Amino acid sequence: MNITALLIGLGPLLGWGLYPTIASKIGGRPVNQILGSTLGTLIFAIGFVLFKGIELPTGSDLIFSILSGVGWAIAQIITFQSFTLIGSSRAMPITTAFQLLGASLWGVLALGNWPGVTAKILGAFALVLIILGAWMTVWSEKKDKENNSLLKKAVLLLAVGEIGYWAYSAAPQATSIDGMQAFLPQAFGMVLVAMMYTAILSFKGNEKSAFAEIVSYKHIFSGIFFAFAALTYLISAQPNMNGLATGFILSQTSVVLATLTGIWFLGQKKTKKEMLVTIIGLVMILAAATITVLI
């Protein structure tokens, strides 16, 4: 692996690793976060397409690319809601675990991955590691009924959100274009969902419209971090760079940064024992990710 490929492959570490922490630090409601971050992604995508002179896809390729972005935006709204329940440092390992589980099961059931008995045994072991690792990242020394209730609600939300993340990853597989061509249509799909979500909440009139709140537009900054991560992952996964398997492994390192920055910068405190267990859990998740793509 050359240095350039490695640096590009680690782009998601910074982008996706810092995105949830920056979004949480800026604050606001989930509707502010999704509106601003999708606008930031769209701005970034338009700039990239104009700079590179990339042609937009047409027909079914365009539709599936937009649906990919729609899936991500719906899932991200749910993820932002989970942040309000348990914080980003606890939510991110859980959603990463669900995404790894979803990607692995989709690969086995739909794409014929893990052929043979040995591969299936190793795959099953990796899935157990993912589940155990995610549980360890949210383990708490103190037993609190209210916190347990919030955790269960967040886990349920994130499990539902996995459907959207699965669509984000799976929909482009139905196209005949590369990831960079799908980048801008994905951003359009994201903004479409964010605009509709914001409009629905504005119509209800229970709270001030997110369209009129400055904090929404501050989240354009967080959206640029997401867009940077998404783009560098698409480039990293190309065969002439790191390839899909290695690119995927490198992208999953983002969960470590997202979790630790949430603890350090957002006041999501853990005891020394909880911190140790969390770090072990993160290592297990990354180890499982490595196993699933190298089988």
Side-chain angles (χ1 to χ4, degrees), residues 10-70:
L10 290 175
L13 165 63
L14 292 176
W16 284 333
L18 294 175
Y19 170 61
T21 300
I22 292 172
S24 298
K25 191 69 175 178
I26 293 173
R29 294 169 288 147
V31 64
N32 303 119
Q33 295 169 324
I34 196 65
L35 178 60
S37 59
T38 55
L39 287 174
T41 300
L42 180 61
I43 292 169
F44 188 101
I46 291 173
F48 175 76
V49 167
L50 291 176
F51 177 74
K52 296 289 289 185
I54 297 173
E55 293 186 6
L56 289 177
T58 58
S60 61
D61 289 341
L62 177 62
I63 293 173
F64 277 110
S65 297
I66 292 174
L67 288 176
S68 172
V70 168

Side-chain angles (χ1 to χ4, degrees), residues 265-284:
F265 299 118
L266 299 177
Q268 299 169 6
K269 303 297 184 181
K270 287 180 179 285
T271 65
K272 289 183 178 180
K273 185 179 290 187
E274 289 170 349
M275 192 68 184
L276 176 61
V277 173
T278 293
I279 291 174
I280 294 173
L282 291 172
V283 171
M284 291 173 66

Side-chain angles (χ1 to χ4, degrees), residues 38 65-71 73 184-194:
T38 55
S65 297
I66 292 174
L67 288 176
S68 172
V70 168
L184 182 55
Q186 284 176 336
F188 278 126
M190 294 172 187
V191 170
L192 179 63
V193 171

Side-chain angles (χ1 to χ4, degrees), residues 24-274:
S24 298
K25 191 69 175 178
I26 293 173
R29 294 169 288 147
V31 64
N32 303 119
Q33 295 169 324
I34 196 65
L35 178 60
S37 59
T38 55
L39 287 174
T41 300
L42 180 61
I43 292 169
F44 188 101
I46 291 173
F48 175 76
V49 167
L50 291 176
F51 177 74
K52 296 289 289 185
I54 297 173
E55 293 186 6
L56 289 177
T58 58
S60 61
D61 289 341
L62 177 62
I63 293 173
F64 277 110
S65 297
I66 292 174
L67 288 176
S68 172
V70 168
W72 177 87
I74 293 173
Q76 193 61 40
I77 290 171
I78 293 172
T79 301
F80 280 142
Q81 291 174 338
S82 75
F83 287 179
T84 65
L85 297 174
I86 60 174
S88 62
S89 67
R90 302 182 84 193
M92 286 308 299
I94 298 173
T95 190
T96 298
F98 278 134
Q99 289 178 61
L100 287 169
L101 288 170
S104 299
L105 293 175
W106 171 252
V108 173
L109 299 176
L111 304 179
N113 294 346
W114 302 356
V117 176
T118 301
K120 286 182 171 57
I121 292 174
L122 286 173
F125 173 69
L127 296 183
V128 171
L129 274 184
I130 291 170
I131 294 171
L132 182 58
W135 174 80
M136 291 176 72
T137 63
V138 298
W139 176 79
S140 176
E141 282 190 87
K142 298 179 180 179
K143 305 303 178 183
D144 187 312
K145 287 186 178 180
E146 182 179 355
N147 286 337
N148 285 340
S149 176
L150 291 175
L151 177 60
K152 289 177 181 177
K153 185 176 180 179
V155 170
L156 180 59
L157 281 173
L158 293 170
V160 172
E162 166 54 27
I163 298 173
Y165 286 132
W166 168 82
Y168 173 63
S169 299
Q173 296 177 17
T175 70
S176 58
I177 59 177
D178 63 35
M180 286 186 284
Q181 282 182 289
F183 188 40
L184 182 55
Q186 284 176 336
F188 278 126
M190 294 172 187
V191 170
L192 179 63
V193 171
M195 291 287 189
M196 292 177 62
Y197 179 60
T198 305
I200 291 171
L201 292 184
S202 300
F203 180 75
K204 287 183 177 181
N206 295 330
E207 299 175 319
K208 185 177 181 180
S209 172
F211 288 120
E213 293 181 298
I214 296 297
V215 68
S216 296
Y217 303 101
K218 290 181 179 180
H219 278 284
I220 289 175
F221 180 67
S222 66
I224 291 174
F225 275 80
F226 169 81
F228 171 77
L231 178 60
T232 51
Y233 172 66
L234 291 172
I235 297 173
S236 172
Q238 298 297 313
N240 62 335
M241 293 299 289
N242 296 307
L244 183 60
T246 302
F248 181 77
I249 294 171
L250 291 173
S251 74
Q252 295 311 299
T253 58
S254 62
V255 68
V256 177
L257 188 59
T259 301
L260 297 181
T261 54
I263 294 169
W264 293 333
F265 299 118
L266 299 177
Q268 299 169 6
K269 303 297 184 181
K270 287 180 179 285
T271 65
K272 289 183 178 180
K273 185 179 290 187
E274 289 170 349

